[in-house]
Amino acid sequence: MLTPTKDRLRIDAREKVLGRPIFAVDVPLPGLLHAMTTPARIARGRITAIDAAAAAAVPGVVRVFTHDDFADIRVTPATLGGNRPGFQPMTGPDVVFRGQPVALVVAETLEAAAEAARLVDVTYDAASFTATMDDPGAEPQPFETTIEAGDAAAAFAASEVTVEAEYRLAQNHHNPIEIISTTAHFEDGRLVVHEGTQNSNSMRAGTAGALGLDPGAVDVASPWCGGGFGQKNVLQLQSVLVSRAAMMLGRPIKLVMPRAQLFHTASHRPASRHHIRLGAGLDGRIAAVLYDTEQENARYDQFFRYGYHEATSRHYGVPNYRGRERLVRIDTSPPGHMRAPHEHPGSFALECAVDELAGALGMDPVALRLANDAARDPVTGKPFSSRTLGQCLSRGAELFGWRDRRAEPGSMVAGDGSLIGWGVAAGIYKGSMFPCIARLRVQANGVTRLSLSGHEMGQGFRSVAGAELMELLPIDAERLEIRCGDTAAVQQHHTAGSWGAAGTASATRAVAEKFVAALTELGGALRPGETVHERLMALKRPMLEVEVEHLGTSQGPEALETMRRGGVAVVGPEYPDFVSFSWIAHFVEVRVEPSTRRVRVPRVVSVADCGRVMNRRTATSQVEGGVVWGIGAALREAAEIDPATGFVLNADLADYVVPVNADICDITVELLDVPDPMLNASGVRGVGEVAMVGAAAAVANAVHHATGRRVRHLPIRIEDLL
């Protein structure tokens, strides 16, 4: 029987508030050098000459590296493309996107490195290029059907009411507080890399492969990652360059990539187009969904596809669904995962289309969604491990006061003349798991160390593991150390996709149960009020250590081998006997000013089911953060790309607009807290990704309700409402 988890403080809160040097960029090393890259000024072409004389003359400059120095670096599957072809800069003279690193300056000080990097003079033979999907030269790939159930075309043709629309989303960029950095040092034949990453094992394998090293001679440490959101999933473009330079110079080197450069060198959410056709009966039952997606992609890399329809096909009980996807190749840096990478765009398109269908039918948007709830997974026919979307919608409507909504767009007006709009949208995200090694060492002196395969990115990874451990073991909570993200501790697995909590909690429970069994065998069961440390002291044992290799539900031992090689070994949402998702419903109120047409969001209500809630503070914080990001995606965020240069014109936080405190008012979060023991023994799924899914659609639907204008692209701008 799972006991309720206490609302404990975050394990890492004190360290962060005190500004302790816990992040990779803060690691102090003697003799540390600083590095800076020179970005390419063209979007496509070749380097014909590099003049580094002026840069080398800057006092303090140690060396200027070019592609001639790094030509032997290998391109491996673990580079920026993840498990796809990948790309490494400075291995040759070709330039394939604007901002690509073309030189690396190393100096005694950061100031000298930055000044010298600006003085590197590069001559190019520029070629024609394509900056966006709408420009000449864009190369659409063939459509591929990725999910199909029933006969959607025939069901659509036979439908009494149909809706057809295209929705578009702009290119978005991550802006975590901890920007990307790499610190590397090479000593006694061993390379140690400190970098904020979500995937230290893959980074170790990729770095070793690129440099021709034995992976056993490489360690990657990322004990804390100051925000990842998918940007830090893979080997970054500067990682191998810094590591090779450290090996060549024999001194540790640190590079902190300027935020403006990250808009070009780091992964981003690709721009996408979504063509949807819905068919329904007069009773509101949706009979068919035909949904085609297109997303921009680099010429040479292949960002993961097959993601848009995994969730949208399960939002509702639609018996006939056809989802097709394709890439459109342009001259850009490779896109990548960004919080709810496909689920956020997909939910915007689907949930806006469902709202349009509600309008065509004259039905209440919540009632329409409830009428199409699913009893079983419509794609596989399997039962859900838990299906609570209807509860989220009903409870959210109650908390929000939805019954007072007037149906007619533009019919709700505030005392100051502002138009009031109320919108709703649903979101779902897969319940996944991964293999996890957990090693637990408890000492008689009160110290406990738990080492896990996973990464702390601010989502509360340590707090989840600590909560599960302390539910089972009476230990000194003040002296608990949780090691993660460090390949020198245990083998690590990529942490993303909301699978961190599910994998970590269940592995922690397994290792704690093994520890209890071992301790009981040594000296019997603990007495009431007795701590583990006291029992070890009584047994005259300085410590006791156990380890488990924990697999995700339905996984075999091959998953552990994949993890050890630096690969991704994730299972879900489809399992042999069930399908698993987390659920959320967002209710949003907007106010549209009568003259300026500026949109404000005074209140949001979000109700989520993520399985058992391990830490209410961190789970609530995840939902609040996802809602804020959804508001930003709906009303603010867009990369402004110059088609003449391929340059992101707003490559800083002054012009790439994100929500600030004045933009966010009341966010009410309720968590159903229903354990899901079918997925794992801890009853945990995840909330970090599902938190954002549907939030932007709820804002867009509220804007339509306020103004009567259906804006089918994000972000929604003032000029769309004038």
Side-chain angles (χ1 to χ4, degrees), residues 444 523 526-527 530-542:
L526 290 173
R527 295 183 298 273
E530 184 183 19
T531 69
V532 176
H533 314 292
E534 291 168 337
R535 172 55 59 89
L536 290 172
M537 187 72 73
L539 293 171
K540 295 182 171 53
R541 290 186 64 102

Side-chain angles (χ1 to χ4, degrees), residues 145-161:
T145 299
T146 55
I147 283 187
E148 188 164 21
D151 188 341
F156 179 80
S159 294
E160 297 173 292
V161 180

Side-chain angles (χ1 to χ4, degrees), residues 32 66 135 170 184 198 253 332 345 357 360 365 421 438 461 482 492 517 522 562 603 608 628 630 651 679 688:
L32 183 67
T66 70
D135 294 335
Q198 301 171 232
I253 297 174
T332 182
L357 179 62
F461 183 96
I482 300 178
Q492 298 297 309
L522 287 172
T562 298
R603 66 187 183 107
V628 171
L679 182 61

Side-chain angles (χ1 to χ4, degrees), residues 68-119:
D68 291 330
D69 300 297
F70 297 145
D72 62 334
I73 290 177
R74 307 170 187 174
V75 175
T76 72
T79 53
L80 190 62
N83 59 358
R84 289 154 294 283
F87 170 73
Q88 272 293 326
M90 294 183 61
T91 56
D94 291 336
V95 175
V96 294
F97 61 86
R98 176 85 184 219
Q100 170 187 320
V102 294
L104 178 74
V105 177
V106 178
E108 298 286 351
T109 66
L110 174 60
E111 293 78 9
E115 179 183 355
R118 290 191 294 268
L119 294 176

